[in-house]
Amino acid sequence: MTPVVNTPSVPAARRSRLSKLLRAMRRAPGPTFCAFIIFALLIYAFVTPLVSLNPFEFSGMSVMDSFIPPMWMADGMPDFPLGTDDQGRNLLTAMAYGMRTSIIVGFLSVIIGLVLGGSLGLIAGFVGGKVDAFIMRVADVQLAYPALLLAMIIDGAARAALGAERSVTTAITIVVLSIGIAFWVQYARTIRSSVMIERDQDYVSAARITGRSNLSIIVLHILPNVMAPVLVIATINLGIAIITEATLSFLGIGIPVTSPSLGTLIRNGNNFLQSGEWWISVWPCLVLVAFVVSVNILGDHLRDVYNPRLRGRS
Amino acid sequence: MTTPLLDVRDLTVTINRDGHLITALDKVSFSVNPGEVLGIVGESGAGKSITGAAIIDLLVPPLKRTGGTITLAGERLDRLSPKAMRSVRGGRIGFIFQDPMTSLNPVISIGRQLCDTIEAHLKIGGEKTKRKALEWIERVGLPNPEVQFRRYPHQLSGGMRQRIVIALALCANPALVIADEPTTALDVSVQAHILQLMRDLHRESRASMMLITHDLGVIAKMADRVAVLYAGRVAEISTVGELFNAPKHPYTRGLIRATPMPSADGEVRLDQIPGAMPGLGAVPPGCAFNPRCFKAEGDCRAAIPPLTTEESAAFSCFHPLERETA
Amino acid sequence: MLNYAASRIVQTIIVLLVISFIAFLLVANIGDPLAALLSADATVNERMELIARLGVDQPLGTRFLHFLGNLLQGDFGMSYRTQDPVANLIAERLPATIELAFVSLLITILVGVPAGIYCGVHPNSLFGRFIMLISTAGITLPNFVVGLLLIAVFSVQLGLLPSFGRGTVVDLGFWTTGLLSVSGWRAIILPAATLSTFQVAFIIRMLRTQLMEVGQSEHIRFARARGLSEARIWYVYAIKNTLLPVITMLGLQLGNIIAFSVVTENVFAWPGLGSLFLQSIQAADIPVIAIYLIFVGLVFMIINLIVELLYPLIDARVLRRQS
């Protein structure tokens, strides 16, 4: 949003939108607080890498400083407020890098799911008939598998197909694609049902009579109408996608250690949990949970506000 | 004058809406004599059903009883503990619900629902309960009681279900029956049968009845006396004959004239009352009916007319109608 | 009833065929079984023999039928990773997973159902709100985070319970069980608690919503108007109305439980199917992945079929709606 200066030159519409937002924030302090947390964590994740050395490159770590506990514990050091890991990485910095990866992967997979599910839903709804039946049957079969399991299977198949040599980019691409593919059904169903309702509306028939192509009807008339529910689903799915990525990485089949996500960090910290160095795994856990819980609460709130029809579904 | 079985004085029910108190029932008073059928009429929203629910303390929040006394055979119901109230419900006061499609539990058999109700109030058990349940299924006119006993609500038609609802309300021999629009949700062809059944059962049991309805035709067939409610207040109470022939309150006459009834020459006359009943919280000062009343004067707008009692009748109007000499 | 059952069974079989075909495509197209199953110094004869045995020179349709035939005879193929028959691997790992799922179901029923009913009957009580808060956390927390936190508290800090393995296992010949020894029960507590977190949280929310909805229905009001006791109204009249949706939702959640079992087994080094699946993914062991895919589909479909066929026993209205 552009900064709004409250002078007479500000258009009335925008001013009322701002005051509406402020009123909405006052009415829902919980979701507002969550939005604040998300904002703070985003800044943390994307600004820290700009002002610090990458702890996952050689220059960024120092084995001399390994296993230092958080600064308030005995042996803690103010240089490493949350302590260091086995390679002497400052956890406060390392987590920012991990978080950045988690968020980027989460966003990308949501976009993949949205694009894939969106186009299949549009096709199913617009073409109808056998194409629609086929796409929807595939969706039904896929629903027998939870997204997490499906992502694992796709991930496994991709590994087998591509062989052992994989670059970091390939690994991340595989994760993004498997999560994206695992989540397309919900978008497809929502968009398809919206399209089916919209395509019989008078304004669409009118557009058709005036000789518009199917594509322009979709882009100009149908997409704007289905955006609200789809964006709500996307918000909720962002939380799930980040958890799914974290789980894959924790299991060692996600993002590799050279460019870790929060899940990879937790996996690494898990090795030292038994020996008492709890901070290496617990901090990334807490950051992950704080972000995902905030996104979920905000998503639920948006769903209730913008789309009461979806209420009650999980 | 006989002691009434049920005596309701100044019953007040309010809704708390974001801190604003809205009056739904405003000092409603009436009584039901032993063996009598008291009709309660009024348009929807006049507070008829709220009156019924308030008596057995079954108001749905945010509705809340905030004043008045309810006395059943000398006992103050409004002061009872929840537990004692439970034995009154279904035991001494039976309540017939409006919609048989929603008021029966869909996953519990008819027989089980009857037996549970009987056992909650009568000190019998086992075979005796079942025999009594079967007896009631038969009394409300359903064939093959043994078969019905095992059936579930969805296997019965609307009329049959309403018979079961009646059986459930009466099976513990209550002294007072409150029937809240017992025929409204039914097909017209079924309504007459259900009314006939209620009349027969009433004649057999001699229990008192409070019959809540918006249908003056039902009142004419069933009731001994009638209380007319308007916007949460009692407009008039009178015997049926008196009410139809010589209504005192202008609203009562308007209500009667708005009901299609063939006159002697076979013509159907219909007169509408101008305007509409005020909604909750929008009751005008003074007599609630004054904006729609052709006899309204300054005093009607200034003060709420008190309920004036004359023998067995009562009305709340500063300018009552004279007996029509026609 | 019979028609209903038959049509559901036919649908299930079709879906299973589709899943088997996808699994077959995985096996047929990804990875090189010859390279995986033959040692580097294999002779041409050994190679030809294997080609004949696997039938990789046949057309796709024939190979699929062959694949199906083998499945039905219990021949699930060979693991690329361990060179063992997949059937043996699964049989070896199955008991651990089933016992884990069973104990976690037990926890769900013993903890989730009473807590959910409490929240539904007393939605505004302090304790009810507290339970809801916990269950919100339980639904959002990733499964492995729950496991790690439980280990950190109960194994590392308090030293009360083991954090990995099954404890002492008794071999019954056809089944290996950890439920006959104290150490086995101690070992299963944390993983089962982790696996059941989601289900417990889920069933609490379901029961609460359902009970609150039913509590406002007209038939519950009528039951009150007839003077039935609050206990009977809630615990018999209201609960019976919530059974159907709750059981349905639990059935649909089974897939999540299977997925979470992979995570939980990994966290606690539990030697079950989930660990096997994960190892197979890490090693790109396609035959095991494919069979797991079919297996999960099969379990999911069968449980849902059973749930659906049970409906009429709970609520006779279902049959009428079907016909």
Side-chain angles (χ1 to χ4, degrees):
Chain A
M1 218 181 167
T2 49
V4 177
V5 188
N6 216 348
T7 60
S9 67
V10 175
R14 190 186 293 174
R15 217 181 324 146
S16 80
R17 208 180 294 159
L18 178 75
S19 71
K20 224 188 237 169
L21 183 73
L22 286 175
R23 227 178 316 133
M25 286 166 73
R26 253 202 308 278
R27 249 204 318 274
T32 305
F33 181 66
C34 291
F36 175 75
I37 291 184
I38 294 170
F39 190 62
L41 286 175
L42 281 177
I43 289 186
Y44 164 64
F46 285 91
V47 172
T48 312
L50 301 180
V51 297
S52 68
L53 287 173
N54 186 345
F56 300 97
E57 280 161 11
F58 192 70
S59 56
M61 43 181 147
S62 60
V63 188
M64 295 296 290
D65 294 331
S66 61
F67 297 119
I68 294 176
M71 57 185 271
W72 56 87
M73 288 172 64
D75 302 331
M77 288 163 76
D79 282 352
F80 310 110
L82 298 180
T84 62
D85 68 3
D86 53 315
Q87 302 292 316
R89 298 180 190 111
N90 185 346
L91 279 175
L92 193 62
T93 334
M95 283 199 305
Y97 279 84
M99 177 117 194
R100 191 176 63 164
T101 312
S102 288
I103 292 173
I104 292 173
V105 170
F107 263 107
L108 288 179
S109 35
V110 165
I111 288 169
I112 296 283
L114 191 88
V115 169
L116 185 69
S119 18
L120 286 172
L122 276 177
I123 294 169
F126 229 87
V127 179
K130 278 192 180 138
V131 178
D132 174 38
F134 177 75
I135 293 176
M136 287 302 118
R137 280 298 83 72
V138 173
D140 287 345
V141 173
Q142 173 162 340
L143 278 189
Y145 296 87
L148 175 61
L149 202 62
L150 210 65
M152 290 186 209
I153 292 171
I154 299 170
D155 191 281
R159 277 157 188 278
L162 295 178
E165 311 84 34
R166 288 183 304 271
S167 66
V168 172
T169 330
T170 326
I172 292 182
T173 314
I174 291 177
V175 171
V176 166
L177 282 178
S178 16
I179 299 177
I181 293 171
F183 280 107
W184 69 273
V185 174
Q186 222 181 345
Y187 301 106
R189 289 192 158 181
T190 309
I191 290 189
R192 169 179 174 267
S193 61
S194 299
V195 169
M196 293 196 137
I197 295 166
E198 299 293 338
R199 81 172 169 196
D200 298 328
Q201 302 283 324
D202 287 343
Y203 69 89
V204 173
S205 316
R208 215 175 247 149
I209 291 166
T210 55
R212 293 214 182 244
S213 71
N214 274 348
L215 187 70
S216 80
I217 291 175
I218 287 173
V219 172
L220 290 175
H221 295 282
I222 290 182
L223 277 185
N225 278 299
V226 300
M227 272 339 263
V230 164
L231 286 181
V232 170
I233 296 174
T235 316
I236 293 170
N237 274 356
L238 176 65
I240 308 177
I242 291 178
I243 288 188
T244 308
E245 180 277 313
T247 306
L248 291 180
S249 298
F250 173 79
L251 295 176
I253 51 178
I255 312 292
V257 276
T258 43
S259 160
S261 72
L262 284 177
T264 323
L265 293 181
I266 297 169
R267 173 183 172 80
N268 179 46
N270 188 27
N271 298 329
F272 310 103
L273 186 60
Q274 294 287 344
S275 50
E277 283 94 10
W278 53 267
W279 56 90
I280 306 179
S281 55
V282 167
W283 295 137
C285 274
L286 291 184
V287 172
L288 175 71
V289 167
F291 189 74
V292 168
V293 168
S294 302
V295 168
N296 278 354
I297 293 179
L298 193 66
D300 278 349
H301 180 69
L302 290 181
R303 174 178 62 186
D304 290 354
V305 172
Y306 289 112
N307 206 348
R309 266 183 309 157
L310 292 173
R311 210 172 295 177
R313 295 190 207 159
S314 55
Chain B
M1 203 174 152
T2 50
T3 1
L5 172 71
L6 175 78
D7 190 56
V8 176
R9 288 290 129 214
D10 297 332
L11 178 62
T12 304
V13 171
T14 53
I15 299 174
N16 187 340
R17 197 175 278 164
D18 306 327
H20 305 287
L21 284 185
I22 299 169
T23 307
L25 274 194
D26 191 5
K27 297 193 174 156
V28 167
S29 301
F30 61 88
S31 60
V32 185
N33 293 322
E36 175 187 56
V37 177
L38 174 75
I40 308 249
V41 280
E43 297 167 57
S44 47
K48 300 168 308 220
S49 297
I50 295 177
T51 309
I55 290 171
I56 57 167
D57 194 22
L58 211 66
L59 288 168
V60 178
L63 286 168
K64 195 168 183 299
R65 191 176 65 209
T66 48
T69 61
I70 301 163
T71 316
L72 180 72
E75 190 182 4
R76 284 283 293 277
L77 296 188
D78 50 302
R79 289 185 182 163
L80 285 184
S81 68
K83 199 176 167 213
M85 192 68 218
R86 199 157 65 225
S87 75
V88 171
R89 287 186 203 135
R92 292 164 64 197
I93 301 181
F95 204 111
I96 299 174
F97 270 54
Q98 172 174 353
D99 186 355
M101 305 313 270
T102 56
S103 47
L104 292 174
N105 195 314
V107 292
I108 293 176
S109 70
I110 303 295
R112 190 71 253 152
Q113 299 195 37
L114 270 166
C115 288
D116 281 347
T117 310
I118 293 168
E119 278 167 2
H121 298 290
L122 307 178
K123 290 191 172 42
I124 56 175
E127 269 306 300
K128 266 189 168 163
T129 316
K130 188 178 176 187
R131 222 175 307 136
K132 196 156 171 67
L134 291 172
E135 198 180 292
W136 268 104
I137 296 176
E138 192 153 25
R139 273 182 83 176
V140 294
L142 293 183
N144 304 327
E146 284 281 355
V147 176
Q148 315 296 352
F149 188 88
R150 285 190 304 273
R151 290 176 109 176
Y152 286 85
H154 71 270
Q155 293 166 302
L156 305 180
S157 70
M160 290 164 90
R161 288 191 211 191
Q162 193 62 342
R163 287 170 191 267
I164 294 296
V165 169
I166 292 172
L168 282 165
L170 300 185
C171 62
N173 310 320
L176 172 71
V177 177
I178 302 176
D180 187 358
E181 304 266 9
T183 56
T184 308
L186 301 172
D187 288 347
V188 182
S189 56
V190 182
Q191 287 185 0
H193 290 292
I194 295 291
L195 284 180
Q196 184 63 44
L197 171 70
M198 288 176 60
R199 202 149 49 179
D200 293 346
L201 290 171
H202 174 250
R203 199 176 296 134
E204 287 167 28
S205 68
R206 296 310 302 165
S208 302
M209 193 191 300
M210 239 179 88
L211 178 61
I212 297 167
T213 178
H214 66 277
D215 186 344
L216 282 175
V218 170
I219 293 287
K221 272 185 226 138
M222 300 282 298
D224 301 315
R225 285 193 311 136
V226 190
V228 181
L229 289 192
Y230 184 79
R233 293 176 192 153
V234 174
E236 179 165 6
I237 302 179
S238 184
T239 61
V240 171
E242 191 77 359
L243 189 94
F244 280 103
N245 292 322
K248 291 276 195 317
H249 199 289
Y251 173 66
T252 312
R253 195 173 78 181
L255 197 64
I256 294 168
R257 292 202 172 160
T259 305
M261 277 192 209
S263 53
D265 53 5
E267 290 265 322
V268 177
R269 254 187 63 194
L270 267 182
D271 287 330
Q272 280 189 339
I273 312 174
M277 193 175 72
L280 280 177
V283 179
C287 174
F289 189 57
N290 81 67
R292 305 170 72 187
C293 183
F294 69 99
K295 294 194 75 169
E297 289 174 26
D299 48 352
C300 300
R301 284 179 274 273
I304 301 174
L307 198 62
T308 317
T309 311
E310 280 181 0
E311 293 166 40
S312 66
F315 58 88
S316 60
C317 182
F318 290 126
H319 311 284
L321 299 168
E322 301 300 318
R323 179 178 287 271
E324 280 176 20
T325 48
Chain C
M1 175 70 203
L2 274 178
N3 271 339
Y4 169 55
S7 77
R8 292 295 302 131
I9 290 172
V10 169
Q11 279 176 32
T12 306
I13 292 176
I14 293 177
V15 174
L16 279 175
L17 276 177
V18 173
I19 292 173
S20 309
F21 186 64
I22 294 169
F24 162 73
L25 287 181
L26 279 183
V27 178
N29 292 314
I30 295 179
D32 181 3
L34 299 178
L37 290 176
L38 286 172
S39 53
D41 52 350
T43 63
V44 177
N45 265 349
E46 281 173 339
R47 199 180 166 77
M48 298 306 288
E49 205 179 313
L50 190 66
I51 288 176
R53 190 153 64 85
L54 296 178
V56 285
D57 51 346
Q58 305 282 315
L60 204 66
T62 323
R63 283 170 65 196
F64 178 54
L65 288 181
H66 189 67
F67 177 81
L68 272 186
N70 283 348
L71 279 187
L72 292 177
Q73 290 164 29
D75 175 2
F76 297 165
M78 300 288 276
S79 158
Y80 295 166
R81 183 171 60 96
T82 65
Q83 312 275 320
D84 289 317
V86 178
N88 293 5
L89 288 178
I90 288 184
E92 191 182 297
R93 301 296 194 103
L94 196 57
T97 294
I98 289 184
E99 285 182 359
L100 181 61
F102 169 74
V103 175
S104 92
L105 185 69
L106 214 62
I107 296 178
T108 308
I109 292 169
L110 293 181
V111 178
V113 172
I117 291 172
Y118 183 88
C119 285
V121 178
H122 312 280
N124 294 319
S125 68
L126 208 62
F127 189 53
R129 282 164 195 257
F130 176 71
I131 296 176
M132 275 311 285
L133 195 75
I134 303 270
S135 85
T136 307
I139 259 192
T140 334
L141 286 185
N143 203 251
F144 67 95
V145 170
V146 176
L148 287 187
L149 293 179
L150 286 180
I151 289 180
V153 174
F154 290 98
S155 301
V156 180
Q157 295 293 325
L158 301 175
L160 284 176
L161 294 165
S163 64
F164 60 88
R166 283 181 85 188
T168 309
V169 175
V170 180
D171 193 347
L172 302 176
F174 62 98
W175 192 269
T176 55
T177 179
L179 300 184
L180 289 177
S181 67
V182 177
S183 80
W185 275 99
R186 277 164 47 88
I188 208 169
I189 291 178
L190 288 186
T194 306
L195 186 56
S196 67
T197 314
F198 182 82
Q199 291 159 270
V200 169
F202 185 79
I203 203 169
I204 288 176
R205 298 166 78 90
M206 277 293 297
L207 271 171
R208 178 174 179 270
T209 318
Q210 292 288 333
L211 275 176
M212 284 172 69
E213 209 167 275
V214 172
Q216 287 171 358
S217 67
E218 206 55 12
H219 58 83
I220 293 297
R221 237 184 123 223
F222 186 38
R224 276 216 180 91
R226 303 201 302 272
L228 301 190
S229 69
E230 284 294 302
R232 182 163 287 272
I233 287 175
W234 282 113
Y235 300 119
V236 181
Y237 278 57
I239 293 226
K240 257 200 132 179
N241 277 282
T242 65
L243 279 182
L244 191 66
V246 167
I247 291 181
T248 311
M249 294 308 279
L250 267 189
L252 287 174
Q253 284 309 315
L254 186 85
N256 271 326
I257 292 161
I258 294 172
F260 292 149
S261 79
V262 177
V263 183
T264 306
E265 289 186 10
N266 180 260
V267 173
F268 292 93
W270 190 261
L273 276 186
S275 305
L276 174 70
F277 175 61
L278 189 64
Q279 287 159 0
S280 308
I281 286 186
Q282 283 160 343
D285 192 351
I286 286 291
V288 183
I289 297 177
I291 296 300
Y292 189 79
L293 183 77
I294 299 175
F295 180 78
V296 169
L298 185 73
V299 172
F300 186 81
M301 300 278 157
I302 287 178
I303 299 267
N304 276 293
L305 192 62
I306 291 173
V307 167
E308 271 183 51
L309 295 182
L310 279 179
Y311 281 172
L313 297 185
I314 301 164
D315 188 343
R317 281 173 301 173
V318 173
L319 271 188
R320 220 162 76 134
R321 239 178 277 140
Q322 297 295 333
S323 55

